[in-house]
Amino acid sequence: MKINKLLYLHIFFWAIYVTGAVLVPYFAFHSKNTIFNITFFITSIICFYVNYFIVVPRFFDADKLYKSFFAFFLSVASFVVVRYFAEEMFLPQFFGVRNYAKGVSFGFYFFDNIFYSSTTIFISTTFWFFKYSIIAEEEKTKLIEAKKNAELQALKTQINPHFIFNSLNNIYSLVYQKSDQALPALEELSQLLRYSTKDLEKDFISLDKEIGYIDSLTALEKLRLKNPELLIVEKNINHPKLNISPMILVPFVENAFKHGDFRNKGFRMKISDENQVLNFHLLNYKKERMKDSVSGIGIENVRKRLEILYPKKYELNIKDSEIEFIVDLKIDLRNE
């Protein structure tokens, strides 16, 4: 976390400060003003954090110059009061020494310390703005992430009712025809429901679960086709536990079943993950009455999700001709 790095920056700054202001003068030059160097160092620390935690957050306003001057005055005042107490009251009382000549007025003391306090106030304010920028950036990142998550959930919600509705229609037809295939269809539907109720809630699932859903969907669709052998599926999966966002591949398959011509043409699907890069190819022929564009809301949602989840890590090419619809998708799934 960047805030932790800011803490290290504070520690580093004060280590350099105490070395240059106290330790080096004492050990290298045998300074006789070490006690005043120490009180100045302590005063600087107190003033630094009064300005850092109280004055700047509450009073600084770039749009109202008078408030910024007031903030500066408060920080200088805190520096003067602390240093005056330490050097003109505490040290004379307990050590018999003072930094300024006896009888110096508080007004002169205040004026003289404007210069000494300004450096500390400036560095403290700079540190605060650095911290503010870090927090603002983290908040911005969180908002962007929340927006992405909300959008992804909305896209999934749009997809989910579509494939469940299609599956129920298929099973209804089988039950209505009193087909022996109704029971296997219900079993496949249970797999679909398990996927849609559990896996869709996750950000990522294993590749074999996404493909397992496609297998169930394909098996369910085969039950209603006269020529199921026309559905050709080729899989070469070497890394089944690779992570992938759910419902990335499925909408393309649904689109093929919804708009494809399965009377004598069918479709061909190839899935592989060589070098942990997913390659998905799907070819289906259009029905005679649907030779216009068949790319629906599901595929548009996939485009948006790919852009959000896999920026610069995917290639999607769709060929939508008069008689066929071809999808070529490549996703780099490494380190997901």
Side-chain angles (χ1 to χ4, degrees):
M1 188 178 179
K2 291 183 179 179
I3 292 296
N4 291 334
K5 294 181 180 179
L6 185 60
L7 174 62
Y8 298 142
L9 182 61
H10 279 254
I11 295 173
F12 176 76
F13 170 74
W14 289 117
I16 296 296
Y17 195 109
V18 72
T19 300
V22 180
L23 299 180
V24 171
Y26 178 76
F27 290 104
F29 303 107
H30 307 289
S31 173
K32 297 180 180 180
N33 296 319
T34 300
I35 191 167
F36 298 119
N37 292 339
I38 293 173
T39 56
F40 188 88
F41 174 69
I42 294 173
T43 301
S44 295
I45 290 179
I46 294 173
C47 174
F48 185 101
Y49 289 108
V50 166
N51 182 72
Y52 184 84
F53 287 114
I54 300 175
V55 178
V56 175
R58 292 189 180 183
F59 299 102
F60 182 85
D61 190 337
D63 296 327
K64 296 180 181 179
L65 197 58
Y66 73 91
K67 292 188 69 175
S68 300
F69 279 120
F70 181 68
F72 176 76
F73 175 81
L74 282 179
S75 295
V76 171
S78 69
F79 185 95
V80 172
V81 168
V82 172
R83 192 180 185 198
Y84 188 86
F85 172 80
E87 296 182 351
E88 305 304 317
M89 297 178 67
F90 180 79
L91 292 182
Q93 179 71 26
F94 292 97
F95 295 93
V97 294
R98 60 184 343 118
N99 194 15
Y100 285 70
K102 189 175 182 179
V104 170
S105 67
F106 183 79
F108 177 83
Y109 196 91
F110 186 94
F111 177 81
D112 193 49
N113 275 276
I114 292 177
F115 171 77
Y116 296 116
S117 62
S118 295
T119 302
T120 299
I121 294 170
F122 175 77
I123 296 174
S124 173
T125 303
T126 301
F127 272 49
W128 184 85
F129 276 109
F130 185 44
K131 173 188 173 184
Y132 178 82
S133 67
I134 290 175
I135 294 175
E137 185 63 28
E138 289 183 347
E139 289 297 324
K140 181 180 178 181
T141 301
K142 289 179 181 178
L143 287 173
I144 292 174
E145 192 64 29
K147 182 179 178 181
K148 284 184 178 180
N149 291 336
E151 184 175 350
L152 288 172
Q153 284 302 119
L155 294 175
K156 288 179 183 179
T157 302
Q158 290 175 9
I159 296 168
N160 187 17
H162 177 71
F163 68 78
I164 295 296
F165 179 75
N166 284 348
S167 300
L168 287 172
N169 272 348
N170 293 338
I171 293 177
Y172 175 81
S173 298
L174 293 173
V175 172
Y176 183 79
Q177 297 169 13
K178 298 182 180 179
S179 171
D180 293 337
Q181 296 175 329
L183 184 58
L186 285 172
E187 292 175 356
E188 296 297 346
L189 179 59
S190 70
Q191 297 295 325
L192 303 183
L193 291 174
R194 185 177 295 108
Y195 177 94
S196 64
T197 55
K198 293 184 178 180
D199 294 327
L200 279 183
E201 296 177 355
K202 303 174 183 177
D203 293 330
F204 294 94
I205 60 173
S206 61
L207 180 59
D208 59 348
K209 285 189 176 181
E210 178 81 355
I211 295 176
Y213 173 82
I214 293 175
D215 289 340
S216 294
L217 181 61
T218 303
L220 190 60
E221 293 289 346
K222 279 185 176 181
L223 295 175
R224 67 179 181 85
L225 297 179
K226 294 181 179 180
N227 302 305
E229 68 278 1
L230 295 176
L231 273 62
I232 301 174
V233 179
E234 299 177 17
K235 295 183 292 184
N236 183 20
I237 304 300
N238 300 310
H239 307 90
K241 297 307 176 183
L242 281 176
N243 285 335
I244 186 172
S245 179
M247 293 299 288
I248 287 292
L249 305 180
V250 171
F252 297 114
V253 182
E254 291 177 339
N255 184 76
F257 285 128
K258 182 178 181 182
H259 302 293
D261 182 358
F262 297 101
R263 290 172 297 179
N264 50 24
K265 294 180 179 179
F267 80 173
R268 179 184 294 271
M269 179 170 57
K270 297 179 182 179
I271 307 176
S272 64
D273 62 348
E274 185 177 357
N275 297 323
Q276 301 187 36
V277 176
L278 177 67
N279 287 279
F280 176 81
H281 173 83
L282 180 60
L283 163 65
N284 71 277
Y285 296 92
K286 297 181 182 179
K287 298 175 183 177
E288 287 293 329
R289 65 179 184 275
M290 289 191 175
K291 289 191 175 180
D292 55 347
S293 176
V294 296
S295 179
I297 188 172
I299 291 179
E300 287 306 309
N301 285 342
V302 173
R303 287 183 187 273
K304 294 177 183 178
R305 294 176 63 213
L306 285 169
E307 190 60 35
I308 293 172
L309 294 166
Y310 302 101
K312 299 181 180 180
K313 296 182 68 176
Y314 81 96
E315 294 179 17
L316 175 60
N317 296 301
I318 296 178
K319 180 183 177 182
D320 191 0
S321 68
E322 184 178 352
I323 62 173
E324 63 185 15
F325 192 80
I326 302 174
V327 177
D328 280 299
L329 173 63
K330 181 183 295 185
I331 309 176
D332 186 351
L333 296 179
R334 288 173 291 187
N335 299 323
E336 289 298 337

